[in-house]
Structure formats: structure tokens, C-alpha cells
Amino acid sequence: MVTLKALSLGLLASPTFAINYTQPYRPQFHFSPTKNWMNDPAGLIYHNGNYHLYFQYNPGGIEWGNMSWGHATSDDLTHWQEQPVALLARGFPDNVTEMFFTGSAVADEQNTSGFGAGGKTPLVALYTSYYPIAQTLPSGKEVKTNQQSQSLAYSLDDGTTWTTYDAGNPVIHNPPSPYEEEYQNFRDPFVFWHAETRKWIMVSTLAGIHKLALWTSDNLKDWSHASFFGPFNAVGGVWECPNLFPLDLDSSTKWVMVMGLNPGGPPGTVGSGTQYFIGDFDGTTFVPDEDSVYEGNKSANWMDWGPDFYAAASYNGLDERMAVGWMNNWQYGEKIPTYPWRSAMSTPRQLSLKTIGGKPTLIQRPHAQIQSIEGKDHSSSWKFFEEGTQDLGSVGKTLDIELSFSASNATDFGIIVQATPDFKEQTKIGYNFTSQMIFVDRRNSGESSFDGTFASIYHAPLAPSYDGTVHLRILVDWSSVEVFGGQGETTLTAQIFPDRSATFARLFSNGGGVEDVKVDMKRVSSIWN
Ligand SMILES: *[C@@H]1O[C@H](CO)[C@@H](O)[C@H](O)[C@H]1NC(C)=O
Ligand SMILES: *[C@@H]1O[C@H](CO)[C@@H](O)[C@H](O)[C@H]1NC(C)=O
Ligand SMILES: *[C@@H]1O[C@H](CO)[C@@H](O)[C@H](O)[C@H]1NC(C)=O
Ligand SMILES: *[C@@H]1O[C@H](CO)[C@@H](O)[C@H](O)[C@H]1NC(C)=O
Ligand SMILES: *[C@@H]1O[C@H](CO)[C@@H](O)[C@H](O)[C@H]1NC(C)=O
Ligand SMILES: *[C@@H]1O[C@H](CO)[C@@H](O)[C@H](O)[C@H]1NC(C)=O
Ligand SMILES: *[C@@H]1O[C@H](CO)[C@@H](O)[C@H](O)[C@H]1NC(C)=O
């Protein structure tokens, strides 16, 4: 879709797209592909000094289709370089017979797969093969129309080029018994090395029946079904893109299962969402803690309370746990007013666990290296911020904001960002002291006509800290806001499509004042221009 706005800005002046990263709404410090459609991050791996970001990609269009693995690399999780497509839909462009859906990648240091050669450690990717037509594969295996199976590819040049394992693919042909009939909804293998049992573990999803299937392997090629997980908690839509990983909690190790569901996201949103469970994993079975599951399916542990954080995937190959989400939503993802690309990735988030309010809780923080692209700090503070507003001026469209404050007699307090000079367009981020909720109000945030549900206000629970302080960290880019509340126990991510002139900000306090207000604001540089 080409908007009139884009035309009037001369975007299409040249017959080949004048590709640069200054188009309307182009994220300045989030990854987005130069052109075309992107969805789930997949195959995230840190290897030999490079962070690899593979992703679901359509090399032939700006909506979902021709699914392939796009590729970008970074040496600091901040500056990204788009690379050639890593796994191109088989038969593209005329006759696609296999698409490469979401998966994961590991470094097979011990050559368990036998794919190593010439002294090179093989990188091995497990992904979902989607077969739009029934066929007999080179391995002799027969697949049905619309079948999804798990396949393998390996790389001997550190993740640049990949070879599909045609002699054996798919390595998991059908869903485990008794769910063979789920073959059209069997996907998203997440693989990791489990040192305690010296085995590879795979978590895959039976998306339509809200079950995960866990598998084990010695060599990444032969897999044994080990257990099932689910259904639990939110089951409003399909379960997709599982991740399972350990994190320290106090002096013990817990395991965290993360998955996307679409639709059926957090209360007040429409479309996709991401939930998590904390529990234990013994090498075959993941058992969620009692306080991580809810009776019936009334609630969930939401990884993010906003509308635009889906298909979160975490990095293999790092000591710390770093996750990236698709910053979009299936409700309107294919209609967002960006051109010639659609979708961006979230800021990479460092994950940890903490007991908060007596409950083990996932904590998320923007990765530390974002500081390398931040300018100097502009701070202001008020012992008492009276009811009303305080203009902060034209502060720009790429910001890292830290805001802290304590309740007095205000009902709600917060900051308006990405406002036009007349404040008719604005995105409001604040805290409601009565409901103890963060809110992001994008009802007047800019372009929203592409979807009737987009212009909405979103809420996320956050208790003040023990001393009564509320702390919000807010990352603002040209077309997104990401809010990290408290210590990172609550996050809320939302896209916005404001006018280019929306560079103004203002603090507001309603119904009374607030105490001990401190705002620290840093401009974030573009990673592209
Ligand atoms: C980049 O895009 C902007 C508008 O989106 C255009 O004005 C500018 O000329 C382009 N620059 C280059 C080098 O193509
Ligand atoms: C797939 O790619 C082909 C070739 O570029 C293109 O014609 C087609 O529209 C694409 N399909 C979708 C659904 O984008
Ligand atoms: C597409 O490719 C498949 C597998 O190679 C082949 O059987 C089929 O005839 C092709 N279809 C067209 C329209 O070329
Ligand atoms: C990995 O195993 C294969 C098959 O056994 C062998 O040919 C290759 O030399 C090994 N590579 C390395 C780097 O050990
Ligand atoms: C709870 O389950 C019902 C029935 O499966 C479903 O309709 C509803 O959307 C679910 N709610 C959530 C929050 O997942
Ligand atoms: C704050 O929350 C209370 C209680 O839920 C609600 O009545 C009120 O409308 C909210 N205020 C704002 C500004 O959202
Ligand atoms: C809020 O508290 C301040 C400071 O004590 C006071 O001046 C102001 O009148 C109060 N406002 C309301 C609406 O109660």
C-alpha cells in the first residue's frame, strides 16, 4: 500500500526504491528490513562475536507469503546489518513447494550431528517446513498438502549460508501420537543443549490444541518424543513460538517457558500476545509452579501487556538470556502504513527472575549496549509537581526516558511523547494511582485508520516499589513506545504512527500533584544514518 503521504514525500521518485532509513515511521534504533514483510525472529544465536538475527521474511512482498529466513547481524545488539536471505522458500518465485517457518539455531561444538567439516563447527538450524502441496521429498518421505514438519539445515561458514539436510528432511515428520491429525499445526522448534542430561532438547507446538511437544536427541537428527505441556492459562488462540530456558532465582535455578498466542493476547488488546510460565525442567518434562498456573484459564503471566510484542525468541550461545520480540500484531500487522517494509523487532531485552510481591516474576530490561548510541542526559526534578502540565519542548522522536515519582493527591501522572506542535497528535504514557496501572494511550497517536482497533488505550498492572516510588523506563522510536515498569516486572509495547513534526513532550498531573518527580531523558542516535 502506498499512502498519499509517502507519494508526496517523493518516496517513489526513483523507479528503483530510494532505499534509506528516513522514510515516514522508519524505526531508527530498532531493526527493520530494508523492504518487504517480516515477522517472527527465529534462529537467534550468538556465535564467534556475532549476534545473528534470522527472521520470517517474504522476499517477494509486503504481506505474509513466500516465507523464508531473512538475516541480519550485529556485533553489539545495536547496529544491524541486513544480510542476504539465508533460507529462500524452495521454488521461489514461481512455484513455492516448501516454506521455511520459525525455528532456532545452535552451535554443534561437539559435532554430534556429524555435519562438521574442514575443522568448522557446524551451526545447525531446526525450522518448520511448510509444504503447500503434497509431494514426495528427496529423502523419500511423503508429505501431505499443508503439512508442517520439523527440518534441519546446517552452516559451515558461521551462519552466512545454509544447506538443507535433504537426505533426511524432515527430521520430525509427524506430530507425536495420539495427535497425528494435528499435522497442519505442528511447528516452531526451539532447540537447546541440556548439559545435565547431555542431550539436545526441542520444544515444538501443536498450535491448535494448546499443547507443546518436547523432544530429546543425541545428534539433532534423530528425535524422541519426551513429554507434553499444556493447555494452561491463556488459550484464546493458537500457541506458537515456544522458548524454554533456565534463569537463576535467588539461590536456585528455575526454568521459564515462553509462548505466543494469537489471538487472545492481554486484557484490553486485540490479537497477538505472549505469556510465560515458571517451573522446573528435568531434561524431559517441564512442570509449571503452582503459582504460575491459574484455575480455569482466567488469567495469565503476560510477558508484555501491550498489543505489539509477539513471537518472542531468545538467544542461544550467550551466558545471559536475551530476548527479541516481533513488534507487531496479526490483528493489523499486514496493514500498518509503512512502506516499502512492514514490521520491526523489539529492543533486545535482558531477562532475569525476581520474587516480587511474593511471586517469582520475569524481569525485563533493555539490553545495556543501547547506551552506546545515547546522547547526554537532560534531567529535571520537582519536589512537588502540581496539578497541570509542564512542557519539555521539542525533544525529538528517539528517546530513552527514565521517569520516577511518588503518589501525593494526583489520580494519574505521566508524560506525553511524539506530540505535534499543537499537541493534537500525542502518545500518552502514565500511571493511574487508583488502579495501580501503567497506561499507554495511543488514541490520538497519529495514523490509525488502517484498523478499527488500533486507536486504543492499554493498561498493565504495576505496584509502586516498597518506598512508594513508581519507576518507568520508556524507549521511544519513530513508530513505537516500549515501557518497562518498576524493576522490569511489567512491560507494555505499542506501535504508533505519528507525523514527522511530532517531536514535542510534556509532563502532566491530573486530579492533584505528585512528589519527588525526576525525569532523565537521553536522545538515541539513529543506527542507520
Ligand atoms: C531518503 O528518503 C527521503 C524521504 O523518505 C528522501 O527525501 C531522501 O532524498 C532519500 N535519500 C536518499 C539518499 O535516497
Ligand atoms: C511471492 O513472491 C512472488 C515473486 O516475487 C510474488 O509475485 C508474490 O506476490 C509473492 N506472494 C506473496 C503472498 O507475497
Ligand atoms: C511445481 O513444482 C513441483 C515440484 O517440483 C512440480 O511437481 C509441479 O509440477 C510444479 N508446478 C508448476 C505449476 O510448475
Ligand atoms: C564431524 O563429523 C564428521 C562425520 O563423522 C566428520 O567427517 C568430520 O570430520 C567431523 N568434523 C569435525 C570438525 O570434527
Ligand atoms: C479460555 O478458554 C476459552 C475456551 O477455550 C476461550 O474461549 C477463551 O478465549 C480463553 N481465555 C483466554 C484468556 O485465553
Ligand atoms: C484510573 O483507575 C480508576 C480505577 O480503575 C478509574 O476509575 C479511572 O478512570 C482511571 N483514570 C484514568 C485517567 O484512566
Ligand atoms: C494536592 O496537594 C497539594 C499540596 O498539599 C495542595 O496544594 C492541593 O490543593 C491538593 N490538590 C487537591 C486536588 O487536593
Side-chain angles (χ1 to χ4, degrees), residues 423-436:
F423 280 78
K424 283 203 169 121
E425 272 187 21
Q426 53 167 260
T427 299
K428 214 168 171 174
I429 298 154
Y431 187 72
N432 182 331
F433 294 103
T434 313
S435 61
Q436 300 209 330

Side-chain angles (χ1 to χ4, degrees), residues 76-154:
D76 62 1
L77 267 187
T78 303
H79 298 86
W80 294 97
Q81 220 153 12
E82 197 170 344
Q83 305 289 350
V85 170
L87 287 166
L88 183 64
R90 204 181 296 270
F92 177 84
D94 305 323
N95 180 13
V96 171
T97 57
E98 179 188 0
M99 298 192 198
F100 298 90
F101 282 6
T102 298
S104 54
V106 292
D108 183 13
E109 306 282 358
Q110 295 166 52
N111 197 21
T112 63
S113 63
F115 290 123
K120 288 294 278 189
T121 296
L123 296 191
V124 176
L126 277 300
Y127 57 89
T128 299
S129 292
Y130 164 66
Y131 306 101
I133 51 166
Q135 57 196 285
T136 303
L137 300 168
S139 61
K141 295 175 183 168
E142 285 182 25
V143 290
K144 305 188 186 99
T145 298
N146 291 333
Q147 174 145 14
Q148 299 180 354
S149 303
Q150 317 321 317
S151 293
L152 185 156
Y154 61 93

Side-chain angles (χ1 to χ4, degrees), residues 39-43 56 64 69 100-105 125-130 148-151 172 184-192 201-208 211-215 238-244 257-262 310-313 330:
N39 56 290
D40 312 349
Q56 287 289 279
W64 187 93
W69 277 31
F100 298 90
F101 282 6
T102 298
S104 54
L126 277 300
Y127 57 89
T128 299
S129 292
Y130 164 66
Q148 299 180 354
S149 303
Q150 317 321 317
S151 293
I172 305 182
Q184 297 183 341
N185 270 301
F186 174 41
R187 55 183 176 265
D188 303 342
F190 179 75
V191 174
F192 62 94
I201 311 291
M202 179 197 290
V203 187
S204 62
T205 169
L206 301 169
K211 266 187 197 300
L212 305 179
L214 282 74
W215 309 77
V238 291
W239 274 17
E240 298 189 311
C241 307
N243 263 230
L244 178 62
M257 183 77 87
V258 174
M259 82 200 57
L261 68 164
N262 173 59
Y310 190 60
W330 283 113

Side-chain angles (χ1 to χ4, degrees), residues 384 387 408-409 511-513:
F384 189 81
E387 176 170 13
S408 173
N409 54 6

Side-chain angles (χ1 to χ4, degrees), residues 58 60-61 63-66 92-93:
N58 181 355
E63 294 184 351
W64 187 93
N66 299 310
F92 177 84

